[in-house]
Short mmCIF file of all heavy atoms in Angstrom, two decimals:
data_model
loop_
_atom_site.label_atom_id
_atom_site.label_comp_id
_atom_site.label_asym_id
_atom_site.label_seq_id
_atom_site.Cartn_x
_atom_site.Cartn_y
_atom_site.Cartn_z
N ARG Z 17 -98.14 -17.97 54.53
CA ARG Z 17 -98.35 -19.38 54.35
C ARG Z 17 -99.69 -19.86 54.92
O ARG Z 17 -100.29 -20.81 54.44
CB ARG Z 17 -97.22 -20.19 54.96
CG ARG Z 17 -97.23 -21.67 54.62
CD ARG Z 17 -96.04 -22.39 55.15
NE ARG Z 17 -96.05 -22.41 56.63
CZ ARG Z 17 -95.03 -22.81 57.37
NH1 ARG Z 17 -93.90 -23.18 56.80
NH2 ARG Z 17 -95.10 -22.84 58.70
N LYS Z 18 -100.16 -19.17 55.97
CA LYS Z 18 -101.43 -19.58 56.60
C LYS Z 18 -102.60 -19.46 55.66
O LYS Z 18 -103.63 -20.06 55.85
CB LYS Z 18 -101.67 -18.73 57.85
CG LYS Z 18 -100.67 -19.03 58.98
CD LYS Z 18 -100.99 -18.17 60.20
CE LYS Z 18 -100.02 -18.46 61.34
NZ LYS Z 18 -100.32 -17.62 62.54
N MET Z 19 -102.43 -18.65 54.59
CA MET Z 19 -103.51 -18.43 53.63
C MET Z 19 -103.30 -19.24 52.36
O MET Z 19 -104.13 -19.18 51.43
CB MET Z 19 -103.60 -16.95 53.29
CG MET Z 19 -103.91 -16.04 54.47
SD MET Z 19 -103.78 -14.28 54.04
CE MET Z 19 -105.04 -14.12 52.79
N MET Z 20 -102.22 -20.02 52.30
CA MET Z 20 -101.89 -20.76 51.09
C MET Z 20 -102.31 -22.24 51.19
O MET Z 20 -102.18 -22.85 52.25
CB MET Z 20 -100.38 -20.70 50.82
CG MET Z 20 -99.82 -19.30 50.61
SD MET Z 20 -100.42 -18.55 49.08
CE MET Z 20 -101.51 -17.29 49.78
N TYR Z 21 -102.79 -22.77 50.09
CA TYR Z 21 -103.16 -24.16 50.00
C TYR Z 21 -102.59 -24.75 48.72
O TYR Z 21 -102.36 -24.02 47.73
CB TYR Z 21 -104.68 -24.32 49.96
CG TYR Z 21 -105.38 -23.91 51.25
CD1 TYR Z 21 -105.64 -22.56 51.51
CD2 TYR Z 21 -105.70 -24.86 52.21
CE1 TYR Z 21 -106.24 -22.18 52.68
CE2 TYR Z 21 -106.33 -24.48 53.40
CZ TYR Z 21 -106.59 -23.12 53.62
OH TYR Z 21 -107.20 -22.73 54.79
N GLN Z 22 -102.36 -26.05 48.72
CA GLN Z 22 -101.93 -26.76 47.54
C GLN Z 22 -103.16 -27.43 46.91
O GLN Z 22 -103.85 -28.18 47.59
CB GLN Z 22 -100.87 -27.79 47.88
CG GLN Z 22 -99.59 -27.22 48.40
CD GLN Z 22 -98.66 -28.28 48.97
OE1 GLN Z 22 -98.10 -28.11 50.04
NE2 GLN Z 22 -98.51 -29.38 48.26
N GLY Z 23 -103.38 -27.16 45.63
CA GLY Z 23 -104.53 -27.73 44.97
C GLY Z 23 -104.29 -29.19 44.57
O GLY Z 23 -103.19 -29.57 44.16
N GLN Z 24 -105.31 -29.97 44.74
CA GLN Z 24 -105.32 -31.36 44.30
C GLN Z 24 -106.50 -31.51 43.33
O GLN Z 24 -106.96 -30.56 42.73
CB GLN Z 24 -105.45 -32.32 45.48
CG GLN Z 24 -104.33 -32.24 46.49
CD GLN Z 24 -104.45 -33.28 47.60
OE1 GLN Z 24 -105.52 -33.78 47.90
NE2 GLN Z 24 -103.33 -33.59 48.22
N THR Z 25 -106.93 -32.73 43.13
CA THR Z 25 -108.22 -32.99 42.51
C THR Z 25 -108.87 -34.06 43.36
O THR Z 25 -108.15 -34.77 44.09
CB THR Z 25 -108.12 -33.47 41.04
OG1 THR Z 25 -107.41 -34.71 40.95
CG2 THR Z 25 -107.44 -32.42 40.16
N PRO Z 26 -110.19 -34.18 43.34
CA PRO Z 26 -111.13 -33.66 42.35
C PRO Z 26 -111.40 -32.15 42.48
O PRO Z 26 -111.19 -31.56 43.53
CB PRO Z 26 -112.42 -34.45 42.64
CG PRO Z 26 -112.06 -35.55 43.55
CD PRO Z 26 -110.88 -35.09 44.28
N GLN Z 27 -111.87 -31.62 41.37
CA GLN Z 27 -112.54 -30.33 41.31
C GLN Z 27 -113.93 -30.63 40.78
O GLN Z 27 -114.06 -31.30 39.75
CB GLN Z 27 -111.82 -29.35 40.42
CG GLN Z 27 -110.43 -28.97 40.93
CD GLN Z 27 -109.73 -28.00 40.00
OE1 GLN Z 27 -109.96 -28.03 38.78
NE2 GLN Z 27 -108.90 -27.15 40.57
N SER Z 28 -114.95 -30.18 41.49
CA SER Z 28 -116.31 -30.57 41.11
C SER Z 28 -117.20 -29.37 40.95
O SER Z 28 -117.03 -28.34 41.59
CB SER Z 28 -116.88 -31.50 42.20
OG SER Z 28 -116.04 -32.65 42.36
N PHE Z 29 -118.19 -29.54 40.03
CA PHE Z 29 -118.98 -28.39 39.61
C PHE Z 29 -120.41 -28.77 39.27
O PHE Z 29 -120.69 -29.91 38.86
CB PHE Z 29 -118.35 -27.75 38.35
CG PHE Z 29 -116.89 -27.52 38.45
CD1 PHE Z 29 -115.99 -28.46 37.98
CD2 PHE Z 29 -116.40 -26.37 39.03
CE1 PHE Z 29 -114.61 -28.27 38.08
CE2 PHE Z 29 -115.04 -26.15 39.16
CZ PHE Z 29 -114.13 -27.11 38.68
N ASN Z 30 -121.30 -27.79 39.39
CA ASN Z 30 -122.59 -27.89 38.74
C ASN Z 30 -122.30 -27.87 37.24
O ASN Z 30 -121.69 -26.93 36.72
CB ASN Z 30 -123.44 -26.67 39.15
CG ASN Z 30 -124.78 -26.64 38.42
OD1 ASN Z 30 -124.81 -26.49 37.21
ND2 ASN Z 30 -125.85 -26.72 39.16
N ALA Z 31 -122.68 -28.93 36.55
CA ALA Z 31 -122.28 -29.10 35.15
C ALA Z 31 -122.74 -27.99 34.25
O ALA Z 31 -122.01 -27.50 33.37
CB ALA Z 31 -122.76 -30.46 34.63
N MET Z 32 -124.01 -27.57 34.39
CA MET Z 32 -124.52 -26.52 33.53
C MET Z 32 -123.88 -25.18 33.84
O MET Z 32 -123.59 -24.41 32.90
CB MET Z 32 -126.05 -26.42 33.72
CG MET Z 32 -126.79 -27.66 33.21
SD MET Z 32 -128.59 -27.51 33.29
CE MET Z 32 -128.90 -26.34 31.99
N LYS Z 33 -123.58 -24.93 35.08
CA LYS Z 33 -122.91 -23.68 35.42
C LYS Z 33 -121.48 -23.67 34.91
O LYS Z 33 -120.98 -22.63 34.42
CB LYS Z 33 -122.90 -23.48 36.96
CG LYS Z 33 -122.46 -22.08 37.38
CD LYS Z 33 -122.67 -21.89 38.88
CE LYS Z 33 -122.33 -20.47 39.29
NZ LYS Z 33 -122.55 -20.23 40.75
N LEU Z 34 -120.80 -24.82 34.98
CA LEU Z 34 -119.45 -24.91 34.42
C LEU Z 34 -119.45 -24.60 32.94
O LEU Z 34 -118.59 -23.83 32.47
CB LEU Z 34 -118.90 -26.33 34.66
CG LEU Z 34 -117.55 -26.63 34.03
CD1 LEU Z 34 -116.46 -25.74 34.58
CD2 LEU Z 34 -117.18 -28.10 34.23
N LYS Z 35 -120.39 -25.14 32.23
CA LYS Z 35 -120.46 -24.86 30.78
C LYS Z 35 -120.71 -23.40 30.52
O LYS Z 35 -120.07 -22.79 29.66
CB LYS Z 35 -121.56 -25.71 30.13
CG LYS Z 35 -121.72 -25.39 28.62
CD LYS Z 35 -122.70 -26.28 27.95
CE LYS Z 35 -123.02 -25.79 26.53
NZ LYS Z 35 -121.82 -25.53 25.72
N ARG Z 36 -121.65 -22.80 31.27
CA ARG Z 36 -121.92 -21.35 31.06
C ARG Z 36 -120.71 -20.52 31.36
O ARG Z 36 -120.37 -19.59 30.62
CB ARG Z 36 -123.09 -20.93 31.96
CG ARG Z 36 -124.45 -21.45 31.52
CD ARG Z 36 -125.59 -20.71 32.21
NE ARG Z 36 -125.56 -20.88 33.64
CZ ARG Z 36 -126.24 -21.82 34.31
NH1 ARG Z 36 -126.95 -22.72 33.63
NH2 ARG Z 36 -126.19 -21.89 35.62
N MET Z 37 -120.02 -20.84 32.45
CA MET Z 37 -118.81 -20.08 32.82
C MET Z 37 -117.72 -20.23 31.76
O MET Z 37 -117.09 -19.25 31.36
CB MET Z 37 -118.28 -20.55 34.17
CG MET Z 37 -119.15 -20.26 35.38
SD MET Z 37 -119.22 -18.50 35.82
CE MET Z 37 -120.85 -18.13 35.15
N TYR Z 38 -117.50 -21.47 31.30
CA TYR Z 38 -116.43 -21.69 30.32
C TYR Z 38 -116.75 -20.99 29.00
O TYR Z 38 -115.87 -20.37 28.40
CB TYR Z 38 -116.24 -23.18 30.09
CG TYR Z 38 -115.01 -23.50 29.26
CD1 TYR Z 38 -113.75 -23.51 29.86
CD2 TYR Z 38 -115.10 -23.71 27.90
CE1 TYR Z 38 -112.61 -23.75 29.10
CE2 TYR Z 38 -113.96 -23.97 27.15
CZ TYR Z 38 -112.73 -24.00 27.75
OH TYR Z 38 -111.60 -24.23 26.98
N ASP Z 39 -117.99 -21.09 28.57
CA ASP Z 39 -118.37 -20.47 27.30
C ASP Z 39 -118.27 -18.94 27.35
O ASP Z 39 -118.12 -18.29 26.31
CB ASP Z 39 -119.83 -20.86 26.91
CG ASP Z 39 -119.93 -22.31 26.49
OD1 ASP Z 39 -118.90 -22.91 26.19
OD2 ASP Z 39 -121.06 -22.81 26.43
N SER Z 40 -118.31 -18.39 28.55
CA SER Z 40 -118.24 -16.92 28.69
C SER Z 40 -116.81 -16.38 28.73
O SER Z 40 -116.61 -15.18 28.68
CB SER Z 40 -118.99 -16.49 29.96
OG SER Z 40 -118.25 -16.84 31.13
N LEU Z 41 -115.82 -17.27 28.79
CA LEU Z 41 -114.44 -16.86 28.85
C LEU Z 41 -113.95 -16.31 27.50
O LEU Z 41 -114.33 -16.82 26.44
CB LEU Z 41 -113.52 -18.02 29.26
CG LEU Z 41 -113.68 -18.60 30.66
CD1 LEU Z 41 -112.75 -19.81 30.80
CD2 LEU Z 41 -113.36 -17.55 31.73
N SER Z 42 -113.13 -15.30 27.58
CA SER Z 42 -112.45 -14.81 26.37
C SER Z 42 -111.29 -15.74 26.04
O SER Z 42 -110.85 -16.53 26.87
CB SER Z 42 -111.96 -13.38 26.56
OG SER Z 42 -110.91 -13.37 27.53
N ASP Z 43 -110.72 -15.60 24.86
CA ASP Z 43 -109.55 -16.41 24.48
C ASP Z 43 -108.39 -16.12 25.42
O ASP Z 43 -107.65 -17.05 25.80
CB ASP Z 43 -109.14 -16.14 23.03
CG ASP Z 43 -110.15 -16.71 22.05
OD1 ASP Z 43 -110.91 -17.62 22.41
OD2 ASP Z 43 -110.17 -16.22 20.88
N ASP Z 44 -108.21 -14.86 25.81
CA ASP Z 44 -107.12 -14.49 26.73
C ASP Z 44 -107.35 -15.15 28.09
O ASP Z 44 -106.38 -15.59 28.73
CB ASP Z 44 -107.04 -12.99 26.89
CG ASP Z 44 -106.48 -12.31 25.62
OD1 ASP Z 44 -105.83 -13.00 24.82
OD2 ASP Z 44 -106.68 -11.08 25.47
N GLU Z 45 -108.58 -15.20 28.55
CA GLU Z 45 -108.87 -15.82 29.85
C GLU Z 45 -108.64 -17.31 29.80
O GLU Z 45 -108.12 -17.92 30.74
CB GLU Z 45 -110.32 -15.51 30.24
CG GLU Z 45 -110.53 -14.08 30.69
CD GLU Z 45 -111.98 -13.73 30.91
OE1 GLU Z 45 -112.87 -14.37 30.29
OE2 GLU Z 45 -112.27 -12.85 31.74
N LYS Z 46 -108.98 -17.94 28.65
CA LYS Z 46 -108.72 -19.36 28.51
C LYS Z 46 -107.22 -19.69 28.53
O LYS Z 46 -106.80 -20.71 29.01
CB LYS Z 46 -109.37 -19.89 27.21
CG LYS Z 46 -110.87 -19.96 27.27
CD LYS Z 46 -111.48 -20.46 25.96
CE LYS Z 46 -113.00 -20.50 26.04
NZ LYS Z 46 -113.61 -20.97 24.76
N ASP Z 47 -106.46 -18.74 27.98
CA ASP Z 47 -105.00 -18.96 27.91
C ASP Z 47 -104.34 -19.03 29.28
O ASP Z 47 -103.26 -19.61 29.44
CB ASP Z 47 -104.34 -17.88 27.07
CG ASP Z 47 -104.57 -18.04 25.58
OD1 ASP Z 47 -104.96 -19.16 25.16
OD2 ASP Z 47 -104.42 -17.04 24.83
N ILE Z 48 -104.94 -18.39 30.28
CA ILE Z 48 -104.31 -18.37 31.60
C ILE Z 48 -104.90 -19.41 32.55
O ILE Z 48 -104.53 -19.47 33.71
CB ILE Z 48 -104.43 -16.96 32.26
CG1 ILE Z 48 -105.91 -16.59 32.52
CG2 ILE Z 48 -103.74 -15.91 31.42
CD1 ILE Z 48 -106.08 -15.33 33.36
N LEU Z 49 -105.78 -20.25 32.02
CA LEU Z 49 -106.35 -21.30 32.87
C LEU Z 49 -105.30 -22.36 33.21
O LEU Z 49 -104.55 -22.81 32.36
CB LEU Z 49 -107.49 -22.01 32.15
CG LEU Z 49 -108.83 -21.27 32.05
CD1 LEU Z 49 -109.87 -22.19 31.40
CD2 LEU Z 49 -109.33 -20.83 33.41
N THR Z 50 -105.23 -22.72 34.47
CA THR Z 50 -104.40 -23.83 34.89
C THR Z 50 -105.24 -25.02 35.38
O THR Z 50 -104.78 -26.15 35.41
CB THR Z 50 -103.47 -23.40 36.06
OG1 THR Z 50 -104.27 -22.79 37.10
CG2 THR Z 50 -102.41 -22.41 35.58
N ASP Z 51 -106.52 -24.73 35.72
CA ASP Z 51 -107.43 -25.80 36.09
C ASP Z 51 -108.85 -25.23 36.00
O ASP Z 51 -109.06 -24.06 35.79
CB ASP Z 51 -107.13 -26.35 37.48
CG ASP Z 51 -107.18 -25.28 38.55
OD1 ASP Z 51 -108.13 -24.46 38.57
OD2 ASP Z 51 -106.29 -25.26 39.42
#
């Protein structure tokens, strides 16, 4: 439990890096996204 955290929002990103990362995902990788 000491290593566990509960996720909230916001989640924040460098916008251009987020786009590059998302575009690089395979369909299978997109299917397992939770956030």
Side-chain angles (χ1 to χ4, degrees):
R17 189 176 67 190
K18 292 181 180 179
M19 299 172 62
M20 299 293 109
Y21 294 83
Q22 295 169 226
Q24 298 184 337
T25 62
Q27 294 179 329
S28 302
F29 311 94
N30 175 296
M32 293 185 71
K33 191 171 184 179
L34 174 62
K35 176 175 170 51
R36 289 195 297 268
M37 292 290 102
Y38 189 81
D39 289 345
S40 71
L41 294 176
S42 67
D43 289 339
D44 288 340
E45 287 173 332
K46 289 180 180 179
D47 285 342
I48 64 172
L49 285 184
T50 52
D51 58 45

